[in-house]
Amino acid sequence: MEFFKIKRDIPFMRHALILNVISVVTFLAAVFFLWHKGLHWSVEFTGGTVMELHYPHAADQEKIRNTLRTIGYEAPEVTSFGTAQGVLLRLPILAGQAQTGASTQVFNAICASEQGAPKVTQVTTDKGQTVNRTSCVNAAGQEVVSLQRVEAVGAAVGDELAQNGLNALLMVIIGVVAYLAIRFEWKFAVAAIIANLHDVVIILGFFAFFELEFSLTVLAAILAVLGYSVNESVVIFDRIREMFRKQRKMTVPQVIDHAITSTISRTIITHGSTQMMVLSMLFFGGHALHNFAIALTIGICFGIYSSVFVAAALAMWLGVKREDLIKPVKEKDETDGAVV
């Protein structure tokens, strides 16, 4: 499907050197911010406290965040859990604070903001066990909030998650290189993986510079961006191979320019529709999806850029040629068919 058709090829490769210099500068800036500031890890990686609260009415998440800020949490993570009445808190360990007493301090502060007092009652579970249930009741004896569960995430668990996330990223990279090397040629594989790492490092540098929280959802977004960027690179590489077969008089830069120009309509449709959905998550998805949507937004924009100006340009500079993708036709021997 094409909403419009460009009759003349756009000379993308003519400006590849300048744009790749900009890419190198951006990449180095991202590496510098990662080294200088580092990532702002979430509770899943650093350890902390996870609390689930339940309200008899829709919870006011912004009010809860303001309450948590007053007791020392600079960027508390407050998200809906299941329904509008359920709230999940992910809180880091504060300096000088015992992890075991953090949940009590937090619940007491939230209870005070609701003008209530904590109350501990004993209830019997379905298995016949007697457990303590913590709730907050107001002056009229009505329950205004209850504590459903408390979990402590240790640093060892955070280290394991970080290692598993790194392993997942490495497995994706290895899989991409192997796939492209088998389907196309090793020069395309090297170009594509450099372009993909370019996208990942820029996303990480953006999070480091603005000190945004890096959580498991952001890691999931980065893995999604890798797949999305590879898909765009594969489409362009496939068209380059097709043009090599059809246009034997074109030079390599001309073939690449024609391949990219002929896929512009498809790029605008797919990336534009995806970006609209991501932007709706960014603006209307609330605090829970904010960082996830930011990572996807940056990744989609730079994924288009890197597929055109980084991956394609690198493949050209690595010396990709028609013979790399098309087996040469064996010339017919003059003696073939001769009558003896």
Side-chain angles (χ1 to χ4, degrees), residues 152-200:
V153 181
V157 177
D159 292 340
E160 183 180 354
L161 285 173
Q163 185 62 45
N164 290 340
L166 180 60
N167 292 340
L169 187 61
L170 291 175
M171 291 301 295
V172 170
I173 292 172
I174 293 172
V176 167
V177 171
Y179 168 73
L180 292 178
I182 293 173
R183 178 167 178 178
F184 296 102
E185 214 265 341
W186 70 267
K187 297 172 185 176
F188 282 128
V190 172
I193 205 60
I194 292 176
N196 288 345
L197 291 178
H198 162 272
D199 300 340
V200 170

mmCIF file of all heavy atoms in Angstrom, residues 152-200:
data_model
loop_
_atom_site.group_PDB
_atom_site.id
_atom_site.type_symbol
_atom_site.label_atom_id
_atom_site.label_comp_id
_atom_site.label_asym_id
_atom_site.label_seq_id
_atom_site.Cartn_x
_atom_site.Cartn_y
_atom_site.Cartn_z
ATOM 1 N N ALA A 152 9.382 -7.832 50.624
ATOM 2 C CA ALA A 152 10.698 -7.199 50.646
ATOM 3 C C ALA A 152 11.540 -7.788 49.524
ATOM 4 O O ALA A 152 11.712 -9.008 49.438
ATOM 5 C CB ALA A 152 11.377 -7.419 51.990
ATOM 6 N N VAL A 153 12.027 -6.926 48.641
ATOM 7 C CA VAL A 153 12.880 -7.343 47.525
ATOM 8 C C VAL A 153 14.323 -7.103 47.930
ATOM 9 O O VAL A 153 14.736 -5.954 48.137
ATOM 10 C CB VAL A 153 12.535 -6.566 46.237
ATOM 11 C CG1 VAL A 153 13.416 -7.041 45.086
ATOM 12 C CG2 VAL A 153 11.070 -6.731 45.901
ATOM 13 N N GLY A 154 15.083 -8.151 48.054
ATOM 14 C CA GLY A 154 16.469 -8.033 48.483
ATOM 15 C C GLY A 154 17.396 -7.648 47.347
ATOM 16 O O GLY A 154 17.063 -7.746 46.161
ATOM 17 N N ALA A 155 18.599 -7.212 47.699
ATOM 18 C CA ALA A 155 19.583 -6.813 46.693
ATOM 19 C C ALA A 155 20.014 -8.003 45.834
ATOM 20 O O ALA A 155 20.318 -7.845 44.661
ATOM 21 C CB ALA A 155 20.799 -6.200 47.379
ATOM 22 N N ALA A 156 20.016 -9.211 46.428
ATOM 23 C CA ALA A 156 20.412 -10.401 45.671
ATOM 24 C C ALA A 156 19.436 -10.669 44.535
ATOM 25 O O ALA A 156 19.830 -11.034 43.421
ATOM 26 C CB ALA A 156 20.482 -11.609 46.607
ATOM 27 N N VAL A 157 18.141 -10.478 44.808
ATOM 28 C CA VAL A 157 17.137 -10.646 43.765
ATOM 29 C C VAL A 157 17.330 -9.608 42.668
ATOM 30 O O VAL A 157 17.207 -9.896 41.476
ATOM 31 C CB VAL A 157 15.713 -10.546 44.368
ATOM 32 C CG1 VAL A 157 14.660 -10.645 43.283
ATOM 33 C CG2 VAL A 157 15.505 -11.624 45.419
ATOM 34 N N GLY A 158 17.643 -8.367 43.076
ATOM 35 C CA GLY A 158 17.889 -7.309 42.096
ATOM 36 C C GLY A 158 19.076 -7.620 41.210
ATOM 37 O O GLY A 158 19.026 -7.402 39.993
ATOM 38 N N ASP A 159 20.149 -8.145 41.775
ATOM 39 C CA ASP A 159 21.320 -8.510 40.976
ATOM 40 C C ASP A 159 20.986 -9.618 39.989
ATOM 41 O O ASP A 159 21.449 -9.607 38.835
ATOM 42 C CB ASP A 159 22.459 -8.966 41.899
ATOM 43 C CG ASP A 159 23.011 -7.818 42.733
ATOM 44 O OD1 ASP A 159 22.799 -6.650 42.340
ATOM 45 O OD2 ASP A 159 23.625 -8.091 43.782
ATOM 46 N N GLU A 160 20.159 -10.569 40.436
ATOM 47 C CA GLU A 160 19.762 -11.663 39.543
ATOM 48 C C GLU A 160 18.925 -11.146 38.378
ATOM 49 O O GLU A 160 19.099 -11.567 37.234
ATOM 50 C CB GLU A 160 18.977 -12.705 40.335
ATOM 51 C CG GLU A 160 18.582 -13.925 39.503
ATOM 52 C CD GLU A 160 17.810 -14.945 40.317
ATOM 53 O OE1 GLU A 160 17.680 -14.744 41.545
ATOM 54 O OE2 GLU A 160 17.339 -15.929 39.728
ATOM 55 N N LEU A 161 18.012 -10.225 38.666
ATOM 56 C CA LEU A 161 17.191 -9.648 37.602
ATOM 57 C C LEU A 161 18.053 -8.863 36.603
ATOM 58 O O LEU A 161 17.831 -8.931 35.394
ATOM 59 C CB LEU A 161 16.120 -8.736 38.197
ATOM 60 C CG LEU A 161 14.930 -9.417 38.877
ATOM 61 C CD1 LEU A 161 14.052 -8.389 39.567
ATOM 62 C CD2 LEU A 161 14.125 -10.213 37.862
ATOM 63 N N ALA A 162 19.014 -8.105 37.119
ATOM 64 C CA ALA A 162 19.901 -7.347 36.242
ATOM 65 C C ALA A 162 20.703 -8.278 35.335
ATOM 66 O O ALA A 162 20.871 -8.017 34.143
ATOM 67 C CB ALA A 162 20.830 -6.472 37.068
ATOM 68 N N GLN A 163 21.195 -9.382 35.909
ATOM 69 C CA GLN A 163 21.962 -10.342 35.121
ATOM 70 C C GLN A 163 21.086 -11.026 34.076
ATOM 71 O O GLN A 163 21.497 -11.207 32.927
ATOM 72 C CB GLN A 163 22.585 -11.390 36.051
ATOM 73 C CG GLN A 163 23.510 -12.381 35.339
ATOM 74 C CD GLN A 163 24.701 -11.689 34.699
ATOM 75 O OE1 GLN A 163 25.338 -10.842 35.296
ATOM 76 N NE2 GLN A 163 24.993 -12.045 33.450
ATOM 77 N N ASN A 164 19.844 -11.377 34.462
ATOM 78 C CA ASN A 164 18.928 -11.998 33.507
ATOM 79 C C ASN A 164 18.556 -11.031 32.386
ATOM 80 O O ASN A 164 18.416 -11.431 31.226
ATOM 81 C CB ASN A 164 17.658 -12.470 34.233
ATOM 82 C CG ASN A 164 17.921 -13.650 35.145
ATOM 83 O OD1 ASN A 164 18.918 -14.353 34.987
ATOM 84 N ND2 ASN A 164 17.043 -13.871 36.104
ATOM 85 N N GLY A 165 18.381 -9.756 32.734
ATOM 86 C CA GLY A 165 18.083 -8.765 31.710
ATOM 87 C C GLY A 165 19.225 -8.599 30.728
ATOM 88 O O GLY A 165 19.014 -8.491 29.509
ATOM 89 N N LEU A 166 20.465 -8.587 31.243
ATOM 90 C CA LEU A 166 21.636 -8.491 30.372
ATOM 91 C C LEU A 166 21.748 -9.727 29.485
ATOM 92 O O LEU A 166 22.069 -9.616 28.287
ATOM 93 C CB LEU A 166 22.895 -8.326 31.225
ATOM 94 C CG LEU A 166 24.221 -8.199 30.467
ATOM 95 C CD1 LEU A 166 24.197 -6.976 29.557
ATOM 96 C CD2 LEU A 166 25.388 -8.110 31.436
ATOM 97 N N ASN A 167 21.477 -10.890 30.043
ATOM 98 C CA ASN A 167 21.517 -12.123 29.249
ATOM 99 C C ASN A 167 20.472 -12.091 28.129
ATOM 100 O O ASN A 167 20.741 -12.533 27.000
ATOM 101 C CB ASN A 167 21.275 -13.333 30.147
ATOM 102 C CG ASN A 167 22.416 -13.573 31.116
ATOM 103 O OD1 ASN A 167 23.535 -13.091 30.908
ATOM 104 N ND2 ASN A 167 22.155 -14.289 32.194
ATOM 105 N N ALA A 168 19.281 -11.582 28.449
ATOM 106 C CA ALA A 168 18.232 -11.482 27.422
ATOM 107 C C ALA A 168 18.665 -10.558 26.297
ATOM 108 O O ALA A 168 18.459 -10.854 25.103
ATOM 109 C CB ALA A 168 16.932 -10.984 28.055
ATOM 110 N N LEU A 169 19.302 -9.442 26.652
ATOM 111 C CA LEU A 169 19.770 -8.494 25.643
ATOM 112 C C LEU A 169 20.846 -9.123 24.764
ATOM 113 O O LEU A 169 20.834 -8.978 23.534
ATOM 114 C CB LEU A 169 20.303 -7.239 26.334
ATOM 115 C CG LEU A 169 20.678 -6.056 25.440
ATOM 116 C CD1 LEU A 169 19.472 -5.558 24.674
ATOM 117 C CD2 LEU A 169 21.267 -4.929 26.283
ATOM 118 N N LEU A 170 21.775 -9.856 25.361
ATOM 119 C CA LEU A 170 22.837 -10.507 24.598
ATOM 120 C C LEU A 170 22.278 -11.584 23.676
ATOM 121 O O LEU A 170 22.727 -11.730 22.529
ATOM 122 C CB LEU A 170 23.872 -11.115 25.548
ATOM 123 C CG LEU A 170 24.735 -10.120 26.324
ATOM 124 C CD1 LEU A 170 25.642 -10.852 27.313
ATOM 125 C CD2 LEU A 170 25.572 -9.268 25.379
ATOM 126 N N MET A 171 21.288 -12.348 24.152
ATOM 127 C CA MET A 171 20.688 -13.389 23.329
ATOM 128 C C MET A 171 19.974 -12.788 22.119
ATOM 129 O O MET A 171 20.029 -13.340 21.015
ATOM 130 C CB MET A 171 19.714 -14.218 24.163
ATOM 131 C CG MET A 171 20.373 -15.087 25.224
ATOM 132 S SD MET A 171 21.551 -16.266 24.514
ATOM 133 C CE MET A 171 20.466 -17.299 23.542
ATOM 134 N N VAL A 172 19.309 -11.657 22.320
ATOM 135 C CA VAL A 172 18.650 -10.983 21.194
ATOM 136 C C VAL A 172 19.684 -10.536 20.169
ATOM 137 O O VAL A 172 19.503 -10.711 18.952
ATOM 138 C CB VAL A 172 17.823 -9.785 21.699
ATOM 139 C CG1 VAL A 172 17.350 -8.935 20.522
ATOM 140 C CG2 VAL A 172 16.629 -10.266 22.502
ATOM 141 N N ILE A 173 20.787 -9.958 20.640
ATOM 142 C CA ILE A 173 21.833 -9.481 19.729
ATOM 143 C C ILE A 173 22.432 -10.633 18.929
ATOM 144 O O ILE A 173 22.603 -10.555 17.705
ATOM 145 C CB ILE A 173 22.924 -8.747 20.523
ATOM 146 C CG1 ILE A 173 22.367 -7.440 21.108
ATOM 147 C CG2 ILE A 173 24.135 -8.459 19.640
ATOM 148 C CD1 ILE A 173 23.312 -6.746 22.063
ATOM 149 N N ILE A 174 22.745 -11.737 19.606
ATOM 150 C CA ILE A 174 23.318 -12.906 18.932
ATOM 151 C C ILE A 174 22.327 -13.464 17.907
ATOM 152 O O ILE A 174 22.696 -13.816 16.772
ATOM 153 C CB ILE A 174 23.709 -13.983 19.956
ATOM 154 C CG1 ILE A 174 24.867 -13.477 20.832
ATOM 155 C CG2 ILE A 174 24.111 -15.277 19.254
ATOM 156 C CD1 ILE A 174 25.195 -14.395 21.992
ATOM 157 N N GLY A 175 21.056 -13.530 18.285
ATOM 158 C CA GLY A 175 20.033 -14.036 17.363
ATOM 159 C C GLY A 175 19.885 -13.160 16.133
ATOM 160 O O GLY A 175 19.738 -13.667 15.008
ATOM 161 N N VAL A 176 19.933 -11.849 16.317
ATOM 162 C CA VAL A 176 19.806 -10.921 15.188
ATOM 163 C C VAL A 176 20.975 -11.079 14.227
ATOM 164 O O VAL A 176 20.801 -11.137 13.004
ATOM 165 C CB VAL A 176 19.708 -9.469 15.705
ATOM 166 C CG1 VAL A 176 19.893 -8.490 14.559
ATOM 167 C CG2 VAL A 176 18.379 -9.238 16.390
ATOM 168 N N VAL A 177 22.192 -11.139 14.772
ATOM 169 C CA VAL A 177 23.382 -11.287 13.924
ATOM 170 C C VAL A 177 23.313 -12.594 13.136
ATOM 171 O O VAL A 177 23.584 -12.624 11.918
ATOM 172 C CB VAL A 177 24.655 -11.237 14.783
ATOM 173 C CG1 VAL A 177 25.872 -11.612 13.942
ATOM 174 C CG2 VAL A 177 24.843 -9.858 15.382
ATOM 175 N N ALA A 178 22.956 -13.669 13.799
ATOM 176 C CA ALA A 178 22.885 -14.970 13.123
ATOM 177 C C ALA A 178 21.828 -14.963 12.026
ATOM 178 O O ALA A 178 22.061 -15.460 10.911
ATOM 179 C CB ALA A 178 22.587 -16.068 14.146
ATOM 180 N N TYR A 179 20.674 -14.395 12.326
ATOM 181 C CA TYR A 179 19.582 -14.363 11.347
ATOM 182 C C TYR A 179 19.969 -13.570 10.099
ATOM 183 O O TYR A 179 19.784 -14.030 8.967
ATOM 184 C CB TYR A 179 18.335 -13.765 11.994
ATOM 185 C CG TYR A 179 17.241 -13.408 11.011
ATOM 186 C CD1 TYR A 179 16.474 -14.399 10.405
ATOM 187 C CD2 TYR A 179 17.000 -12.082 10.665
ATOM 188 C CE1 TYR A 179 15.477 -14.077 9.497
ATOM 189 C CE2 TYR A 179 16.009 -11.750 9.765
ATOM 190 C CZ TYR A 179 15.246 -12.751 9.183
ATOM 191 O OH TYR A 179 14.275 -12.422 8.290
ATOM 192 N N LEU A 180 20.516 -12.371 10.296
ATOM 193 C CA LEU A 180 20.866 -11.533 9.153
ATOM 194 C C LEU A 180 22.032 -12.108 8.361
ATOM 195 O O LEU A 180 22.079 -11.987 7.139
ATOM 196 C CB LEU A 180 21.204 -10.120 9.632
ATOM 197 C CG LEU A 180 20.030 -9.314 10.192
ATOM 198 C CD1 LEU A 180 20.500 -7.954 10.678
ATOM 199 C CD2 LEU A 180 18.942 -9.144 9.157
ATOM 200 N N ALA A 181 22.986 -12.734 9.066
ATOM 201 C CA ALA A 181 24.123 -13.323 8.361
ATOM 202 C C ALA A 181 23.680 -14.492 7.481
ATOM 203 O O ALA A 181 24.215 -14.693 6.380
ATOM 204 C CB ALA A 181 25.169 -13.790 9.368
ATOM 205 N N ILE A 182 22.683 -15.251 7.950
ATOM 206 C CA ILE A 182 22.196 -16.390 7.168
ATOM 207 C C ILE A 182 21.305 -15.916 6.021
ATOM 208 O O ILE A 182 21.424 -16.382 4.893
ATOM 209 C CB ILE A 182 21.424 -17.364 8.088
ATOM 210 C CG1 ILE A 182 22.386 -18.013 9.093
ATOM 211 C CG2 ILE A 182 20.724 -18.435 7.259
ATOM 212 C CD1 ILE A 182 21.701 -18.847 10.148
ATOM 213 N N ARG A 183 20.431 -14.960 6.307
ATOM 214 C CA ARG A 183 19.474 -14.518 5.280
ATOM 215 C C ARG A 183 20.121 -13.627 4.225
ATOM 216 O O ARG A 183 19.783 -13.720 3.048
ATOM 217 C CB ARG A 183 18.315 -13.779 5.934
ATOM 218 C CG ARG A 183 17.313 -13.243 4.921
ATOM 219 C CD ARG A 183 16.037 -12.794 5.537
ATOM 220 N NE ARG A 183 15.140 -12.248 4.519
ATOM 221 C CZ ARG A 183 13.920 -11.815 4.759
ATOM 222 N NH1 ARG A 183 13.428 -11.867 5.983
ATOM 223 N NH2 ARG A 183 13.166 -11.337 3.789
ATOM 224 N N PHE A 184 21.046 -12.765 4.654
ATOM 225 C CA PHE A 184 21.650 -11.832 3.708
ATOM 226 C C PHE A 184 23.149 -12.094 3.571
ATOM 227 O O PHE A 184 23.572 -12.925 2.808
ATOM 228 C CB PHE A 184 21.387 -10.381 4.150
ATOM 229 C CG PHE A 184 19.937 -10.010 4.143
ATOM 230 C CD1 PHE A 184 19.218 -9.973 5.333
ATOM 231 C CD2 PHE A 184 19.292 -9.706 2.964
ATOM 232 C CE1 PHE A 184 17.878 -9.632 5.322
ATOM 233 C CE2 PHE A 184 17.958 -9.365 2.953
ATOM 234 C CZ PHE A 184 17.243 -9.335 4.135
ATOM 235 N N GLU A 185 23.932 -11.358 4.345
ATOM 236 C CA GLU A 185 25.385 -11.431 4.238
ATOM 237 C C GLU A 185 25.963 -10.830 5.498
ATOM 238 O O GLU A 185 25.337 -10.000 6.150
ATOM 239 C CB GLU A 185 25.820 -10.650 2.995
ATOM 240 C CG GLU A 185 27.042 -11.240 2.288
ATOM 241 C CD GLU A 185 28.306 -10.551 2.752
ATOM 242 O OE1 GLU A 185 28.202 -9.453 3.304
ATOM 243 O OE2 GLU A 185 29.387 -11.121 2.566
ATOM 244 N N TRP A 186 27.172 -11.232 5.881
ATOM 245 C CA TRP A 186 27.719 -10.808 7.174
ATOM 246 C C TRP A 186 27.866 -9.292 7.276
ATOM 247 O O TRP A 186 27.767 -8.735 8.368
ATOM 248 C CB TRP A 186 29.067 -11.498 7.413
ATOM 249 C CG TRP A 186 30.190 -11.020 6.538
ATOM 250 C CD1 TRP A 186 30.590 -11.544 5.356
ATOM 251 C CD2 TRP A 186 31.044 -9.885 6.790
ATOM 252 N NE1 TRP A 186 31.637 -10.824 4.838
ATOM 253 C CE2 TRP A 186 31.951 -9.803 5.693
ATOM 254 C CE3 TRP A 186 31.146 -8.944 7.808
ATOM 255 C CZ2 TRP A 186 32.922 -8.821 5.599
ATOM 256 C CZ3 TRP A 186 32.122 -7.962 7.719
ATOM 257 C CH2 TRP A 186 32.990 -7.910 6.631
ATOM 258 N N LYS A 187 28.088 -8.621 6.157
ATOM 259 C CA LYS A 187 28.215 -7.161 6.192
ATOM 260 C C LYS A 187 26.902 -6.506 6.629
ATOM 261 O O LYS A 187 26.898 -5.521 7.372
ATOM 262 C CB LYS A 187 28.640 -6.635 4.827
ATOM 263 C CG LYS A 187 30.018 -7.127 4.388
ATOM 264 C CD LYS A 187 30.325 -6.744 2.957
ATOM 265 C CE LYS A 187 31.650 -7.359 2.504
ATOM 266 N NZ LYS A 187 31.928 -7.091 1.085
ATOM 267 N N PHE A 188 25.792 -7.055 6.171
ATOM 268 C CA PHE A 188 24.494 -6.564 6.605
ATOM 269 C C PHE A 188 24.279 -6.853 8.086
ATOM 270 O O PHE A 188 23.691 -6.046 8.812
ATOM 271 C CB PHE A 188 23.376 -7.209 5.785
ATOM 272 C CG PHE A 188 23.194 -6.612 4.426
ATOM 273 C CD1 PHE A 188 23.178 -7.406 3.296
ATOM 274 C CD2 PHE A 188 23.036 -5.243 4.270
ATOM 275 C CE1 PHE A 188 23.006 -6.856 2.041
ATOM 276 C CE2 PHE A 188 22.871 -4.680 3.015
ATOM 277 C CZ PHE A 188 22.855 -5.491 1.892
ATOM 278 N N ALA A 189 24.713 -8.015 8.541
ATOM 279 C CA ALA A 189 24.543 -8.379 9.948
ATOM 280 C C ALA A 189 25.313 -7.422 10.857
ATOM 281 O O ALA A 189 24.791 -6.947 11.870
ATOM 282 C CB ALA A 189 25.007 -9.822 10.173
ATOM 283 N N VAL A 190 26.570 -7.142 10.491
ATOM 284 C CA VAL A 190 27.382 -6.213 11.293
ATOM 285 C C VAL A 190 26.766 -4.819 11.290
ATOM 286 O O VAL A 190 26.664 -4.156 12.333
ATOM 287 C CB VAL A 190 28.831 -6.173 10.753
ATOM 288 C CG1 VAL A 190 29.630 -5.086 11.445
ATOM 289 C CG2 VAL A 190 29.501 -7.529 10.955
ATOM 290 N N ALA A 191 26.324 -4.355 10.119
ATOM 291 C CA ALA A 191 25.730 -3.019 10.022
ATOM 292 C C ALA A 191 24.459 -2.913 10.848
ATOM 293 O O ALA A 191 24.235 -1.918 11.555
ATOM 294 C CB ALA A 191 25.439 -2.694 8.556
ATOM 295 N N ALA A 192 23.619 -3.941 10.790
ATOM 296 C CA ALA A 192 22.344 -3.900 11.519
ATOM 297 C C ALA A 192 22.554 -3.933 13.020
ATOM 298 O O ALA A 192 21.878 -3.214 13.764
ATOM 299 C CB ALA A 192 21.465 -5.070 11.080
ATOM 300 N N ILE A 193 23.482 -4.746 13.502
ATOM 301 C CA ILE A 193 23.655 -4.850 14.952
ATOM 302 C C ILE A 193 24.298 -3.589 15.507
ATOM 303 O O ILE A 193 23.978 -3.159 16.628
ATOM 304 C CB ILE A 193 24.476 -6.109 15.315
ATOM 305 C CG1 ILE A 193 24.142 -6.542 16.745
ATOM 306 C CG2 ILE A 193 25.956 -5.885 15.161
ATOM 307 C CD1 ILE A 193 22.704 -6.887 16.967
ATOM 308 N N ILE A 194 25.187 -2.944 14.745
ATOM 309 C CA ILE A 194 25.750 -1.664 15.192
ATOM 310 C C ILE A 194 24.645 -0.609 15.266
ATOM 311 O O ILE A 194 24.574 0.184 16.211
ATOM 312 C CB ILE A 194 26.889 -1.212 14.264
ATOM 313 C CG1 ILE A 194 28.093 -2.154 14.400
ATOM 314 C CG2 ILE A 194 27.307 0.224 14.567
ATOM 315 C CD1 ILE A 194 29.228 -1.839 13.446
ATOM 316 N N ALA A 195 23.761 -0.605 14.274
ATOM 317 C CA ALA A 195 22.649 0.343 14.282
ATOM 318 C C ALA A 195 21.718 0.093 15.460
ATOM 319 O O ALA A 195 21.245 1.041 16.108
ATOM 320 C CB ALA A 195 21.875 0.239 12.961
ATOM 321 N N ASN A 196 21.463 -1.176 15.768
ATOM 322 C CA ASN A 196 20.574 -1.499 16.893
ATOM 323 C C ASN A 196 21.208 -1.115 18.229
ATOM 324 O O ASN A 196 20.526 -0.585 19.116
ATOM 325 C CB ASN A 196 20.236 -2.993 16.894
ATOM 326 C CG ASN A 196 19.292 -3.358 15.768
ATOM 327 O OD1 ASN A 196 18.680 -2.490 15.155
ATOM 328 N ND2 ASN A 196 19.188 -4.637 15.478
ATOM 329 N N LEU A 197 22.493 -1.392 18.395
ATOM 330 C CA LEU A 197 23.176 -0.989 19.626
ATOM 331 C C LEU A 197 23.213 0.529 19.745
ATOM 332 O O LEU A 197 23.141 1.063 20.860
ATOM 333 C CB LEU A 197 24.600 -1.567 19.638
ATOM 334 C CG LEU A 197 24.692 -3.086 19.793
ATOM 335 C CD1 LEU A 197 26.147 -3.531 19.734
ATOM 336 C CD2 LEU A 197 24.063 -3.538 21.108
ATOM 337 N N HIS A 198 23.299 1.205 18.627
ATOM 338 C CA HIS A 198 23.230 2.677 18.605
ATOM 339 C C HIS A 198 21.905 3.142 19.213
ATOM 340 O O HIS A 198 21.868 4.050 20.049
ATOM 341 C CB HIS A 198 23.393 3.127 17.149
ATOM 342 C CG HIS A 198 22.940 4.530 16.878
ATOM 343 N ND1 HIS A 198 21.634 4.833 16.538
ATOM 344 C CD2 HIS A 198 23.610 5.707 16.867
ATOM 345 C CE1 HIS A 198 21.519 6.134 16.333
ATOM 346 N NE2 HIS A 198 22.696 6.690 16.523
ATOM 347 N N ASP A 199 20.802 2.489 18.837
ATOM 348 C CA ASP A 199 19.488 2.852 19.385
ATOM 349 C C ASP A 199 19.408 2.579 20.880
ATOM 350 O O ASP A 199 18.917 3.401 21.653
ATOM 351 C CB ASP A 199 18.381 2.069 18.664
ATOM 352 C CG ASP A 199 18.361 2.353 17.180
ATOM 353 O OD1 ASP A 199 18.903 3.397 16.777
ATOM 354 O OD2 ASP A 199 17.812 1.536 16.429
ATOM 355 N N VAL A 200 19.900 1.403 21.297
ATOM 356 C CA VAL A 200 19.816 1.013 22.707
ATOM 357 C C VAL A 200 20.615 1.966 23.585
ATOM 358 O O VAL A 200 20.128 2.427 24.637
ATOM 359 C CB VAL A 200 20.314 -0.438 22.878
ATOM 360 C CG1 VAL A 200 20.455 -0.777 24.369
ATOM 361 C CG2 VAL A 200 19.354 -1.410 22.222
#
